[in-house]
Amino acid sequence: MNLKRLSTLGLLATFLFQGGCALVSHESGASRSTTKDGTPLITGKKPTRQVAPNVLRRNQVMAAKGPRVRRHQEPAPFTGMTSAHNKVRAGLGIAPIRWSPRLAGYAQAWANILQTQYACRAHNRQKGRIYGENIAAGPKALLTPANVVNLWQGEQADYDLATGNCTRGKNCKHYTQMIWRDTLAVGCGVGQCGDTAVWVCNYNPAGNIEGELP
């Protein structure tokens, strides 16, 4: 779905974006002595427990994968936001991102300000923003996670992959933030003013770094 198609549904959304920002190994030794008859005696360390081959193999595989990363599920109404982002990224061969409750709290704080001070109009943080940020505002009934992502993805038509620039007079920075390769996490918040809603998504690390390509 692109911007033109959504407009036929009566969706009037505006956007605003401003781009950004040892393993310690310890092994205890064992003291060695002998009995009266010369038999070696080991003290200070319990005998090593035998590990079944299948368990050993599983542990080796887990170690090779590295530490397990905790995955968080988006709460309603953001269910599907991460997967919608990752669908766009997968189409370009870019690694997926995860949902971050910390970023969601950061985004919600700004969405609350847009709700109380800006009548749910799209307006980016002027100071102190340390994450990438995409904002969409429009009819509450039509701003679902899938539609918000589709709106930003629609800017792909205005992005020149060869030069890394937007078409003259167009904005494609929401799209490039979504597909930024170095971005690892996303979190979103929403403010509501009657039938209007404003969605804020923040990204870490931030994308749209000047002089770099997504």
Side-chain angles (χ1 to χ4, degrees):
M1 185 182 297
N2 56 30
L3 287 172
K4 183 177 180 180
R5 183 176 179 184
L6 286 177
S7 65
T8 61
L9 299 176
L11 175 61
L12 300 176
T14 58
F15 311 98
L16 193 58
F17 175 90
Q18 181 179 1
C21 151
L23 294 178
V24 178
S25 177
H26 178 271
E27 180 178 348
S28 59
S31 61
R32 180 179 293 273
S33 61
T34 59
T35 62
K36 291 181 179 180
D37 61 1
T39 303
L41 176 65
I42 299 177
T43 61
K45 186 175 182 180
K46 294 182 179 180
T48 302
R49 187 175 64 178
Q50 295 297 320
V51 180
N54 63 324
V55 175
L56 179 61
R57 174 58 180 165
R58 181 193 65 187
N59 293 343
Q60 290 173 336
V61 171
M62 293 178 65
K65 291 181 177 179
R68 182 176 297 177
V69 178
R70 184 178 180 184
R71 299 293 178 180
H72 297 277
Q73 185 67 36
E74 317 102 320
F78 308 108
T79 303
M81 178 61 81
T82 308
S83 60
H85 274 76
N86 287 335
K87 184 177 180 180
V88 177
R89 293 170 68 90
L92 300 171
I94 302 174
I97 57 177
R98 60 178 175 82
W99 179 264
S100 167
R102 182 182 65 179
L103 289 174
Y106 184 84
Q108 187 60 56
W110 185 243
N112 291 343
I113 291 177
L114 294 180
Q115 173 180 307
T116 58
Q117 299 182 23
Y118 292 89
C120 291
R121 294 188 301 272
H123 187 81
N124 68 311
R125 289 176 174 86
Q126 297 297 317
K127 297 180 180 180
R129 180 161 58 83
I130 57 177
Y131 302 115
E133 186 169 89
N134 281 357
I135 300 179
K140 179 172 63 177
L142 296 179
L143 286 184
T144 64
N147 283 348
V148 168
V149 170
N150 283 336
L151 283 167
W152 294 335
Q153 185 184 11
E155 296 175 0
Q156 181 179 10
D158 299 317
Y159 174 66
D160 187 336
L161 183 62
T163 64
N165 297 322
C166 302
T167 301
R168 188 177 181 85
K170 300 289 185 178
N171 183 11
C172 65
K173 297 300 184 179
H174 304 92
Y175 171 70
T176 52
Q177 172 59 86
M178 285 204 308
I179 65 169
W180 202 263
R181 292 179 184 275
D182 291 338
T183 295
L184 301 175
V186 63
C188 303
V190 62
Q192 300 183 30
C193 306
D195 294 332
T196 301
V198 58
W199 287 57
V200 180
C201 287
N202 287 112
Y203 303 82
N204 188 37
N208 292 325
I209 306 302
E210 187 175 356
E212 297 184 13
L213 296 176

